[in-house]
PDB file of all heavy atoms in Angstrom:
ATOM      1  N   ILE Q1093      28.763  77.669  27.588  1.00 98.00           N
ATOM      2  CA  ILE Q1093      28.964  78.735  28.581  1.00 98.00           C
ATOM      3  C   ILE Q1093      28.676  80.088  27.947  1.00 98.00           C
ATOM      4  O   ILE Q1093      29.206  80.412  26.876  1.00 98.00           O
ATOM      5  CB  ILE Q1093      30.419  78.744  29.112  1.00 98.00           C
ATOM      6  CG1 ILE Q1093      30.783  77.400  29.747  1.00 98.00           C
ATOM      7  CG2 ILE Q1093      30.648  79.903  30.095  1.00 98.00           C
ATOM      8  CD1 ILE Q1093      30.144  77.116  31.077  1.00 98.00           C
ATOM      9  N   VAL Q1094      27.872  80.864  28.675  1.00 97.00           N
ATOM     10  CA  VAL Q1094      27.515  82.211  28.190  1.00 97.00           C
ATOM     11  C   VAL Q1094      27.722  83.204  29.321  1.00 97.00           C
ATOM     12  O   VAL Q1094      27.321  82.906  30.481  1.00 97.00           O
ATOM     13  CB  VAL Q1094      26.036  82.257  27.754  1.00 97.00           C
ATOM     14  CG1 VAL Q1094      25.632  83.681  27.394  1.00 97.00           C
ATOM     15  CG2 VAL Q1094      25.779  81.301  26.618  1.00 97.00           C
ATOM     16  N   SER Q1095      28.308  84.343  29.055  1.00 96.00           N
ATOM     17  CA  SER Q1095      28.337  85.418  30.049  1.00 96.00           C
ATOM     18  C   SER Q1095      28.049  86.716  29.342  1.00 96.00           C
ATOM     19  O   SER Q1095      28.873  87.178  28.557  1.00 96.00           O
ATOM     20  CB  SER Q1095      29.693  85.493  30.746  1.00 96.00           C
ATOM     21  OG  SER Q1095      29.788  86.722  31.446  1.00 96.00           O
ATOM     22  N   SER Q1096      26.869  87.286  29.603  1.00 91.00           N
ATOM     23  CA  SER Q1096      26.588  88.541  28.904  1.00 91.00           C
ATOM     24  C   SER Q1096      27.421  89.673  29.470  1.00 91.00           C
ATOM     25  O   SER Q1096      27.817  90.584  28.765  1.00 91.00           O
ATOM     26  CB  SER Q1096      25.101  88.875  28.907  1.00 91.00           C
ATOM     27  OG  SER Q1096      24.488  88.420  30.043  1.00 91.00           O
ATOM     28  N   GLN Q1097      27.721  89.590  30.756  1.00 92.00           N
ATOM     29  CA  GLN Q1097      28.555  90.650  31.348  1.00 92.00           C
ATOM     30  C   GLN Q1097      29.974  90.661  30.749  1.00 92.00           C
ATOM     31  O   GLN Q1097      30.568  91.720  30.509  1.00 92.00           O
ATOM     32  CB  GLN Q1097      28.662  90.453  32.838  1.00 92.00           C
ATOM     33  CG  GLN Q1097      29.363  91.601  33.530  1.00 92.00           C
ATOM     34  CD  GLN Q1097      28.680  91.948  34.823  1.00 92.00           C
ATOM     35  OE1 GLN Q1097      27.929  91.112  35.390  1.00 92.00           O
ATOM     36  NE2 GLN Q1097      28.904  93.111  35.327  1.00 92.00           N
ATOM     37  N   MET Q1098      30.488  89.460  30.441  1.00 94.00           N
ATOM     38  CA  MET Q1098      31.833  89.369  29.858  1.00 94.00           C
ATOM     39  C   MET Q1098      31.777  89.342  28.328  1.00 94.00           C
ATOM     40  O   MET Q1098      32.800  89.222  27.676  1.00 94.00           O
ATOM     41  CB  MET Q1098      32.543  88.119  30.372  1.00 94.00           C
ATOM     42  CG  MET Q1098      32.769  88.137  31.851  1.00 94.00           C
ATOM     43  SD  MET Q1098      33.314  86.565  32.515  1.00 94.00           S
ATOM     44  CE  MET Q1098      35.047  86.657  32.276  1.00 94.00           C
ATOM     45  N   HIS Q1099      30.582  89.499  27.794  1.00 92.00           N
ATOM     46  CA  HIS Q1099      30.380  89.535  26.312  1.00 92.00           C
ATOM     47  C   HIS Q1099      30.996  88.316  25.629  1.00 92.00           C
ATOM     48  O   HIS Q1099      31.758  88.435  24.674  1.00 92.00           O
ATOM     49  CB  HIS Q1099      31.003  90.806  25.725  1.00 92.00           C
ATOM     50  CG  HIS Q1099      30.463  92.051  26.274  1.00 92.00           C
ATOM     51  ND1 HIS Q1099      29.112  92.314  26.345  1.00 92.00           N
ATOM     52  CD2 HIS Q1099      31.053  93.139  26.798  1.00 92.00           C
ATOM     53  CE1 HIS Q1099      28.919  93.491  26.871  1.00 92.00           C
ATOM     54  NE2 HIS Q1099      30.075  93.999  27.188  1.00 92.00           N
ATOM     55  N   VAL Q1100      30.731  87.139  26.184  1.00 96.00           N
ATOM     56  CA  VAL Q1100      31.331  85.960  25.554  1.00 96.00           C
ATOM     57  C   VAL Q1100      30.377  84.776  25.658  1.00 96.00           C
ATOM     58  O   VAL Q1100      29.607  84.651  26.628  1.00 96.00           O
ATOM     59  CB  VAL Q1100      32.695  85.637  26.230  1.00 96.00           C
ATOM     60  CG1 VAL Q1100      32.549  85.377  27.710  1.00 96.00           C
ATOM     61  CG2 VAL Q1100      33.394  84.474  25.578  1.00 96.00           C
ATOM     62  N   TYR Q1101      30.372  83.938  24.630  1.00 97.00           N
ATOM     63  CA  TYR Q1101      29.697  82.630  24.688  1.00 97.00           C
ATOM     64  C   TYR Q1101      30.625  81.657  23.995  1.00 97.00           C
ATOM     65  O   TYR Q1101      31.268  81.996  22.999  1.00 97.00           O
ATOM     66  CB  TYR Q1101      28.306  82.658  24.096  1.00 97.00           C
ATOM     67  CG  TYR Q1101      28.210  83.354  22.778  1.00 97.00           C
ATOM     68  CD1 TYR Q1101      28.390  82.682  21.580  1.00 97.00           C
ATOM     69  CD2 TYR Q1101      27.966  84.732  22.721  1.00 97.00           C
ATOM     70  CE1 TYR Q1101      28.308  83.341  20.384  1.00 97.00           C
ATOM     71  CE2 TYR Q1101      27.900  85.399  21.526  1.00 97.00           C
ATOM     72  CZ  TYR Q1101      28.080  84.701  20.362  1.00 97.00           C
ATOM     73  OH  TYR Q1101      28.039  85.350  19.161  1.00 97.00           O
ATOM     74  N   LEU Q1102      30.687  80.455  24.516  1.00 97.00           N
ATOM     75  CA  LEU Q1102      31.603  79.482  23.930  1.00 97.00           C
ATOM     76  C   LEU Q1102      31.154  78.073  24.181  1.00 97.00           C
ATOM     77  O   LEU Q1102      30.424  77.773  25.130  1.00 97.00           O
ATOM     78  CB  LEU Q1102      33.033  79.697  24.423  1.00 97.00           C
ATOM     79  CG  LEU Q1102      33.262  79.785  25.919  1.00 97.00           C
ATOM     80  CD1 LEU Q1102      33.522  78.452  26.500  1.00 97.00           C
ATOM     81  CD2 LEU Q1102      34.454  80.699  26.179  1.00 97.00           C
ATOM     82  N   SER Q1103      31.624  77.179  23.299  1.00 98.00           N
ATOM     83  CA  SER Q1103      31.371  75.755  23.471  1.00 98.00           C
ATOM     84  C   SER Q1103      32.536  75.010  22.832  1.00 98.00           C
ATOM     85  O   SER Q1103      33.279  75.614  22.053  1.00 98.00           O
ATOM     86  CB  SER Q1103      30.061  75.360  22.767  1.00 98.00           C
ATOM     87  OG  SER Q1103      30.199  75.544  21.382  1.00 98.00           O
ATOM     88  N   GLN Q1104      32.669  73.736  23.174  1.00 98.00           N
ATOM     89  CA  GLN Q1104      33.718  72.927  22.510  1.00 98.00           C
ATOM     90  C   GLN Q1104      33.030  72.007  21.510  1.00 98.00           C
ATOM     91  O   GLN Q1104      32.150  71.231  21.900  1.00 98.00           O
ATOM     92  CB  GLN Q1104      34.540  72.133  23.544  1.00 98.00           C
ATOM     93  CG  GLN Q1104      35.752  71.514  22.900  1.00 98.00           C
ATOM     94  CD  GLN Q1104      36.801  71.000  23.880  1.00 98.00           C
ATOM     95  OE1 GLN Q1104      36.488  70.767  25.037  1.00 98.00           O
ATOM     96  NE2 GLN Q1104      38.015  70.795  23.400  1.00 98.00           N
ATOM     97  N   SER Q1105      33.455  72.090  20.279  1.00 97.00           N
ATOM     98  CA  SER Q1105      32.776  71.313  19.246  1.00 97.00           C
ATOM     99  C   SER Q1105      33.221  69.852  19.309  1.00 97.00           C
ATOM    100  O   SER Q1105      34.166  69.485  20.013  1.00 97.00           O
ATOM    101  CB  SER Q1105      33.129  71.876  17.864  1.00 97.00           C
ATOM    102  OG  SER Q1105      34.452  71.516  17.525  1.00 97.00           O
ATOM    103  N   ASP Q1106      32.521  69.015  18.534  1.00 95.00           N
ATOM    104  CA  ASP Q1106      32.921  67.589  18.488  1.00 95.00           C
ATOM    105  C   ASP Q1106      34.332  67.401  17.965  1.00 95.00           C
ATOM    106  O   ASP Q1106      34.963  66.378  18.206  1.00 95.00           O
ATOM    107  CB  ASP Q1106      31.926  66.798  17.611  1.00 95.00           C
ATOM    108  CG  ASP Q1106      30.543  66.829  18.233  1.00 95.00           C
ATOM    109  OD1 ASP Q1106      30.424  66.365  19.364  1.00 95.00           O
ATOM    110  OD2 ASP Q1106      29.591  67.328  17.599  1.00 95.00           O
ATOM    111  N   ARG Q1107      34.812  68.359  17.215  1.00 96.00           N
ATOM    112  CA  ARG Q1107      36.210  68.273  16.698  1.00 96.00           C
ATOM    113  C   ARG Q1107      37.191  68.765  17.754  1.00 96.00           C
ATOM    114  O   ARG Q1107      38.399  68.771  17.481  1.00 96.00           O
ATOM    115  CB  ARG Q1107      36.366  69.136  15.460  1.00 96.00           C
ATOM    116  CG  ARG Q1107      35.748  68.534  14.221  1.00 96.00           C
ATOM    117  CD  ARG Q1107      35.517  69.631  13.166  1.00 96.00           C
ATOM    118  NE  ARG Q1107      36.692  70.400  12.937  1.00 96.00           N
ATOM    119  CZ  ARG Q1107      37.513  70.287  11.881  1.00 96.00           C
ATOM    120  NH1 ARG Q1107      37.217  69.402  10.955  1.00 96.00           N
ATOM    121  NH2 ARG Q1107      38.571  71.051  11.720  1.00 96.00           N
ATOM    122  N   GLY Q1108      36.742  69.269  18.876  1.00 98.00           N
ATOM    123  CA  GLY Q1108      37.640  69.753  19.929  1.00 98.00           C
ATOM    124  C   GLY Q1108      37.947  71.240  19.855  1.00 98.00           C
ATOM    125  O   GLY Q1108      38.632  71.805  20.723  1.00 98.00           O
ATOM    126  N   GLU Q1109      37.423  71.921  18.813  1.00 98.00           N
ATOM    127  CA  GLU Q1109      37.645  73.362  18.704  1.00 98.00           C
ATOM    128  C   GLU Q1109      36.841  74.103  19.722  1.00 98.00           C
ATOM    129  O   GLU Q1109      35.684  73.700  20.026  1.00 98.00           O
ATOM    130  CB  GLU Q1109      37.214  73.853  17.320  1.00 98.00           C
ATOM    131  CG  GLU Q1109      37.863  73.150  16.139  1.00 98.00           C
ATOM    132  CD  GLU Q1109      36.948  73.100  14.950  1.00 98.00           C
ATOM    133  OE1 GLU Q1109      35.712  73.053  15.118  1.00 98.00           O
ATOM    134  OE2 GLU Q1109      37.485  73.098  13.827  1.00 98.00           O
ATOM    135  N   PHE Q1110      37.336  75.217  20.195  1.00 98.00           N
ATOM    136  CA  PHE Q1110      36.486  76.141  20.964  1.00 98.00           C
ATOM    137  C   PHE Q1110      35.851  77.119  19.985  1.00 98.00           C
ATOM    138  O   PHE Q1110      36.545  77.837  19.246  1.00 98.00           O
ATOM    139  CB  PHE Q1110      37.290  76.866  22.056  1.00 98.00           C
ATOM    140  CG  PHE Q1110      37.273  76.075  23.336  1.00 98.00           C
ATOM    141  CD1 PHE Q1110      38.023  74.916  23.442  1.00 98.00           C
ATOM    142  CD2 PHE Q1110      36.489  76.465  24.421  1.00 98.00           C
ATOM    143  CE1 PHE Q1110      37.966  74.142  24.584  1.00 98.00           C
ATOM    144  CE2 PHE Q1110      36.443  75.702  25.565  1.00 98.00           C
ATOM    145  CZ  PHE Q1110      37.177  74.540  25.644  1.00 98.00           C
ATOM    146  N   VAL Q1111      34.507  77.114  19.941  1.00 98.00           N
ATOM    147  CA  VAL Q1111      33.790  78.028  19.080  1.00 98.00           C
ATOM    148  C   VAL Q1111      33.304  79.168  19.961  1.00 98.00           C
ATOM    149  O   VAL Q1111      32.603  78.953  20.932  1.00 98.00           O
ATOM    150  CB  VAL Q1111      32.586  77.293  18.422  1.00 98.00           C
ATOM    151  CG1 VAL Q1111      31.850  78.227  17.473  1.00 98.00           C
ATOM    152  CG2 VAL Q1111      33.052  76.037  17.694  1.00 98.00           C
ATOM    153  N   MET Q1112      33.704  80.404  19.608  1.00 98.00           N
ATOM    154  CA  MET Q1112      33.461  81.526  20.545  1.00 98.00           C
ATOM    155  C   MET Q1112      32.887  82.719  19.816  1.00 98.00           C
ATOM    156  O   MET Q1112      33.272  82.995  18.680  1.00 98.00           O
ATOM    157  CB  MET Q1112      34.803  81.928  21.166  1.00 98.00           C
ATOM    158  CG  MET Q1112      35.551  80.763  21.785  1.00 98.00           C
ATOM    159  SD  MET Q1112      37.112  81.247  22.533  1.00 98.00           S
ATOM    160  CE  MET Q1112      38.088  81.555  21.084  1.00 98.00           C
TER     161      MET Q1112
END
Side-chain angles (χ1 to χ4, degrees):
I1093 300 287
V1094 175
S1095 166
S1096 31
Q1097 187 139 18
M1098 297 169 86
H1099 302 309
V1100 59
Y1101 45 91
L1102 50 90
S1103 65
Q1104 190 166 19
S1105 75
D1106 295 302
R1107 284 161 51 103
E1109 303 149 330
F1110 271 72
V1111 182
M1112 307 180 287

